[in-house]
Amino acid sequence: MIPELAKPSVVMRDRGAVEEIIRNMHRAGPGALQVISDFDMTLTRFAFNGKRCPTSHNILDNSSLISDDCKSKLSDLLAHYYPIKIDSSLSEKEKVPLMVEWWTRAHDLLVQQQIRKDKLAEVVRESDAMLRDGYQVFFNSLKQHSIPLLIFSAGLGDILEEVIKHNGVFHPNVRVFSNYMEFDENGVLRAFKGQLIHTFNKREGALLNPDQFEQLQDRPNILLLGDSMGDLKMADGVQNVQNILRIGYLNDKVEERREAYVSSYHIVLEKDETLDVPNAIIRYITEGK
């Protein structure tokens, strides 16, 4: 049906159920489909040539806009909180207050740096950020078939938008829900807008934008892409869902996290730096339509 599902990186707990969902989506066609995706380490690469690729936070953290002292403090925060974020022995309830603490402390440090808005595009150009292989096909086929792409990110909205623009695929069908910077009249960062979005509260981010989802009520089929357990809830704001296919990128600590991912996502992609599988599914759904 879809040859890409036979890739060595693909793990499925129930192939029959996956194929049934995809067939249902094909019958309904692209007009009934929306794609809801995480950004960092889902649409972007986790690593390239054995070296970690930066997240939208990392792009800024590692840039010349940040002092060495601030870089050191941000690095200390990462070393402390990242293991907690991916620790499968801790419950989400235990993780949430610690994630809020991490994001808040990191954002407070960034605000102290007096970052200029007009420098963000340059910082992205100079970074090692990379969208996953096959990104042109992914973004362009969604645009071609007028399929909405909703990106829910706990990263930095201003930075991730620049990454997409830099790669020439920020099309009108793309909407981003993320942590956006607030700049003063001189274009200097003064705060972050609205409610903090972290790994485990993307559902709240979705529910805070009901008008966005109301416009998509006639699209009851969802292709969901994520790389964390928190991403599984990104579609919770959607009403009247008929079919949902959850694809999870398992980038790190594969052996210890496989069981949790395979029991939660329909399709798990282990150390797969491409969008081959989502692209093949989108191609199948839109074929002949």
Side-chain angles (χ1 to χ4, degrees):
M1 180 179 168
I2 293 176
E4 286 80 359
L5 292 178
K7 284 180 72 173
S9 59
V10 175
V11 184
M12 292 178 278
R13 71 176 183 273
D14 186 344
R15 185 182 181 114
V18 167
E19 291 184 344
E20 184 180 353
I21 292 169
I22 295 171
R23 274 194 292 269
N24 290 342
M25 289 180 167
H26 171 72
R27 275 195 291 272
L33 182 67
Q34 55 179 299
V35 178
I36 297 178
S37 182
D38 170 50
F39 185 73
D40 290 313
M41 311 296 129
T42 297
L43 296 180
T44 62
R45 291 182 68 117
F46 180 78
F48 181 68
N49 288 341
K51 182 173 179 258
R52 281 289 303 269
C53 291
T55 65
S56 52
H57 271 107
N58 299 150
I59 290 169
L60 194 55
D61 298 354
N62 301 335
S63 75
S64 57
L65 302 183
I66 307 295
S67 70
D68 288 344
D69 178 57
C70 183
K71 282 179 182 173
S72 174
K73 288 174 179 171
L74 289 166
S75 179
D76 289 346
L77 291 178
L78 178 68
H80 177 69
Y81 289 105
Y82 180 69
I84 296 169
K85 175 186 167 183
I86 66 168
D87 188 340
S88 48
S89 71
L90 293 174
S91 70
E92 187 175 310
K93 190 176 179 182
E94 290 171 301
K95 291 180 183 182
V96 165
L98 296 166
M99 294 302 102
V100 171
E101 193 175 279
W102 180 11
W103 261 255
T104 303
R105 290 174 70 182
H107 286 177
D108 287 348
L109 284 169
L110 292 176
V111 169
Q112 292 168 22
Q113 295 297 293
Q114 300 198 319
I115 292 161
R116 293 186 56 82
K117 185 176 185 176
D118 59 10
K119 297 287 186 186
L120 297 182
E122 184 184 335
V123 161
V124 168
R125 278 198 307 273
E126 292 173 353
S127 77
D128 295 326
M130 298 175 73
L131 293 174
R132 286 192 190 272
D133 291 0
Y135 75 87
Q136 295 104 326
V137 171
F138 178 79
F139 281 90
N140 292 339
S141 60
L142 293 178
K143 178 195 174 205
Q144 180 191 342
H145 293 283
S146 303
I147 298 168
L149 169 59
L150 279 63
I151 297 173
F152 283 89
S153 174
L156 300 174
D158 308 81
I159 297 286
L160 76 83
E161 282 198 13
E162 285 297 339
V163 172
I164 301 172
K165 287 173 186 169
H166 178 62
N167 286 282
V169 288
F170 199 89
H171 301 313
N173 62 313
V174 179
R175 299 177 195 171
V176 179
F177 303 89
S178 188
N179 296 302
Y180 280 92
M181 301 174 178
E182 195 164 310
F183 298 92
D184 65 16
E185 65 277 9
N186 299 313
V188 176
L189 175 63
R190 285 288 173 254
F192 279 82
K193 298 176 184 174
Q195 183 190 350
L196 174 72
I197 299 178
H198 57 77
T199 306
F200 297 105
N201 75 337
K202 291 183 180 180
R203 177 177 183 273
E204 282 75 12
L207 297 175
L208 281 173
N209 294 278
D211 53 323
Q212 296 284 357
F213 285 103
E214 273 174 31
Q215 296 169 23
L216 301 172
Q217 274 187 338
D218 58 344
R219 293 180 177 269
N221 293 338
I222 299 168
L223 186 62
L224 182 144
L225 310 178
D227 80 313
S228 75
M229 301 309 281
D231 291 337
L232 290 158
K233 296 185 175 179
M234 290 187 296
D236 284 10
V238 184
Q239 304 294 314
N240 310 318
V241 176
Q242 287 178 10
N243 299 283
I244 181 165
L245 186 69
R246 298 180 176 90
I247 301 176
Y249 282 92
L250 181 46
N251 300 306
D252 198 15
K253 303 275 193 297
V254 172
E255 297 299 330
E256 64 190 68
R257 298 201 289 165
R258 177 181 289 129
E259 189 179 334
Y261 273 61
V262 172
S263 65
S264 304
Y265 283 99
H266 295 103
I267 299 172
V268 177
L269 303 173
E270 297 184 353
K271 291 191 175 292
D272 185 335
E273 295 291 357
T274 76
L275 285 159
D276 292 350
V277 169
N279 284 343
I281 292 168
I282 291 164
R283 187 166 61 244
Y284 183 84
I285 292 169
T286 57
E287 249 169 8
K289 302 289 181 177

